[in-house]
Amino acid sequence: MAAKSQICSIWLGSETGILKGVSLSKKQAFNFCEMSCLSRDQEVCVMAWGDSHESEVLVGSVNGTVKTFSTDKGIFTATRECGDASQGRFTGLAVTDSAMITCVESGLLKVWKEDNSDTVEVNVGKNVYRMRQNPSQHNLVATGGKENPLKVWDLERPEKPIFTAKNVAHDWLDMRVPVWVRDIGFIPDSDKIVTCTGHHQVHVYDPSSPQRRPVLEAHFGEYPLTALSLPASQGTVVVGNTHGMLAILDLRKGLVRGSLKGLSGAVRGLHCHPSLPLVASCGLDRFLRVHSLEDRSLQHKVYLKSRLNCVLFSSRELEVSFFYPDLSGDVKEVKADEEDDEVWDSMETVIEKTKKRPVCED
């Protein structure tokens, strides 16, 4: 397919704290970190582009630091303390023209200004699972979590949310449906917002309408949904769950258009290419996978050794001209598709003899 031949690269964050860059055209993967000082408190939990040119990747770690990685130079250029472990993990990271935005599980959202002036703090409620920025209006962010409904905030007037979603109606047994927002996306060229929940629901909200309940509700599977991403072509959303199932849902009718096969672990990160019909996924099975959204075929599969938490699809090719033999990070070529097969082929076959059951005579 034409989409497969396009040049692009992918950036991923792992549980071990390693930032990984993958060149799909060269079938190479590169680790960026100081290998001698890796620890679990450096686990990458959020990532975001530092600018519109994709020349910087912001990496938020469990220990509360946000590091800036230059994709042009191939090195980390800055580290900023933006919290501590007692406040919970980062659940969102974004930038505006003059500030950086962070949000943690405890519900503390902060706007860090570049001129080091007073930091703006907003309490968005407890048990936050996700904070997302509106890509077309950078002063707007959405938050949500467990028993913490979808809220939209204007950071220029952060005193109260400009929209707070209302829970869906009671179920057929007249029992309250629990609230559990797991991921959020702003639908391009509209005021609508889509969320996925821990109760395998997909909801579409329209803050411009007087209705605060979802204008559309859909269901996928039986397991908690963990991530979503909106493709370049409008009208659909890609969702993933805790059992490695990916699906494309129609946002107009609420129907499942198709499933993406091949995953074998919980999905933790999803990102659609900004212009091509491709989606990248990663999770607990340590594989990066790229699927076509046109025929739902698997285009790329790369084994990356670490459990993966987040993924960013870049429209730029990964430049390798800045790599030198004395680079502190690990530089390694990774073969796609065959990597896991070689491991299984090298293992010995163990044959277990079954014991015959004794025959009881009368």
Side-chain angles (χ1 to χ4, degrees):
M1 289 182 60
K4 186 173 182 178
S5 61
Q6 292 282 346
I7 296 176
C8 50
S9 58
I10 299 178
W11 298 88
L12 304 101
S14 71
E15 271 191 1
T16 53
I18 302 175
L19 175 67
K20 295 174 178 283
V22 177
S23 171
L24 297 179
S25 61
K26 298 180 176 64
K27 293 188 178 181
Q28 290 178 315
F30 305 94
N31 292 339
F32 301 94
C33 64
E34 186 60 50
M35 302 297 288
S36 59
C37 60
L38 285 179
S39 60
R40 290 304 294 267
D41 65 350
Q42 295 185 41
E43 176 183 348
V44 179
C45 44
V46 288
M47 288 169 52
W49 293 117
D51 56 21
S52 59
H53 304 293
E54 300 179 357
S55 64
E56 291 181 342
V57 180
L58 299 181
V59 180
S61 302
V62 171
N63 61 6
T65 62
V66 175
K67 294 184 286 187
T68 303
F69 180 84
S70 170
T71 59
D72 295 327
K73 300 177 181 177
I75 58 173
F76 288 96
T77 57
T79 301
R80 187 168 188 171
E81 296 289 338
C82 296
D84 57 69
S86 64
Q87 298 173 337
R89 300 159 61 99
F90 285 118
T91 56
L93 181 62
V95 293
T96 64
D97 295 336
S98 60
M100 179 175 65
I101 308 165
T102 61
C103 185
V104 292
E105 289 174 321
S106 63
L108 184 60
L109 185 149
K110 290 187 178 183
V111 181
W112 307 82
K113 298 183 179 178
E114 288 184 356
D115 55 7
N116 294 322
S117 58
D118 293 339
T119 302
V120 178
E121 296 187 1
V122 185
N123 185 0
V124 300
K126 297 180 180 179
N127 299 320
V128 176
Y129 272 71
R130 186 67 67 201
M131 182 273 287
R132 292 286 189 191
Q133 182 186 43
N134 188 330
S136 59
Q137 300 181 63
H138 290 176
N139 60 306
L140 299 182
V141 297
T143 61
K146 202 164 191 176
E147 295 304 331
N148 189 342
L150 170 70
K151 299 171 188 169
V152 181
W153 304 81
D154 185 348
L155 298 180
E156 295 178 354
R157 295 170 293 154
E159 294 80 16
K160 62 179 182 178
I162 60 175
F163 173 80
T164 302
K166 190 176 181 180
N167 195 11
V168 297
H170 289 192
D171 63 16
W172 64 282
L173 292 174
D174 199 28
M175 297 183 67
R176 177 184 176 274
V177 178
V179 176
W180 191 3
V181 179
R182 293 295 298 263
D183 205 352
I184 305 168
F186 286 87
I187 300 177
D189 303 324
S190 75
D191 296 322
K192 295 179 181 178
I193 301 169
V194 59
T195 68
C196 65
T197 76
H199 304 292
H200 57 90
Q201 307 155 318
V202 175
H203 291 148
V204 177
Y205 297 88
D206 188 356
S208 63
S209 72
Q211 181 178 345
R212 293 194 293 126
R213 280 181 171 152
V215 296
L216 181 141
E217 181 178 11
H219 294 80
F220 171 65
E222 301 177 355
Y223 306 105
L225 299 177
T226 54
L228 66 79
S229 186
L230 291 159
S233 58
Q234 298 183 19
T236 59
V237 63
V238 183
V239 296
N241 66 16
T242 56
H243 278 56
M245 301 167 67
L246 288 177
I248 307 169
L249 271 67
D250 191 316
L251 290 177
R252 297 182 180 92
K253 299 181 179 179
L255 303 176
V256 177
R257 283 194 177 179
S259 297
L260 306 177
K261 306 295 185 180
L263 282 76
S264 58
V267 180
R268 285 187 171 177
L270 278 178
H271 195 221
C272 292
H273 193 279
S275 58
L276 299 174
L278 299 172
V279 60
S281 61
C282 68
L284 294 185
D285 66 357
R286 296 174 169 86
F287 278 92
L288 161 69
R289 291 179 176 85
V290 179
H291 284 86
S292 166
L293 296 176
E294 293 181 336
D295 60 5
R296 304 193 296 276
S297 62
L298 181 64
Q299 302 285 297
H300 300 277
K301 177 182 174 184
V302 186
Y303 181 65
L304 294 174
K305 293 188 177 181
S306 307
R307 289 183 174 184
L308 305 167
N309 289 339
C310 36
V311 57
L312 282 179
F313 221 139
S314 175
S315 57
R316 299 173 55 183
E317 172 59 297
L318 178 62
E319 296 293 338
V320 296
S321 57
F322 47 70
F323 293 114
Y324 298 94
D326 60 347
L327 184 70
S328 59
D330 176 29
V331 181
K332 176 180 180 182
E333 181 176 352
V334 177
K335 292 182 180 179
D337 297 327
E338 299 85 11
E339 182 78 15
D340 55 338
D341 296 332
E342 292 178 3
V343 174
W344 290 107
D345 291 341
S346 63
M347 297 176 67
E348 293 182 5
T349 303
V350 178
I351 301 174
E352 224 176 84
K353 293 183 178 180
T354 57
K355 295 181 179 179
K356 293 184 178 179
R357 297 179 62 184
V359 179
C360 298
E361 296 181 359
D362 293 334

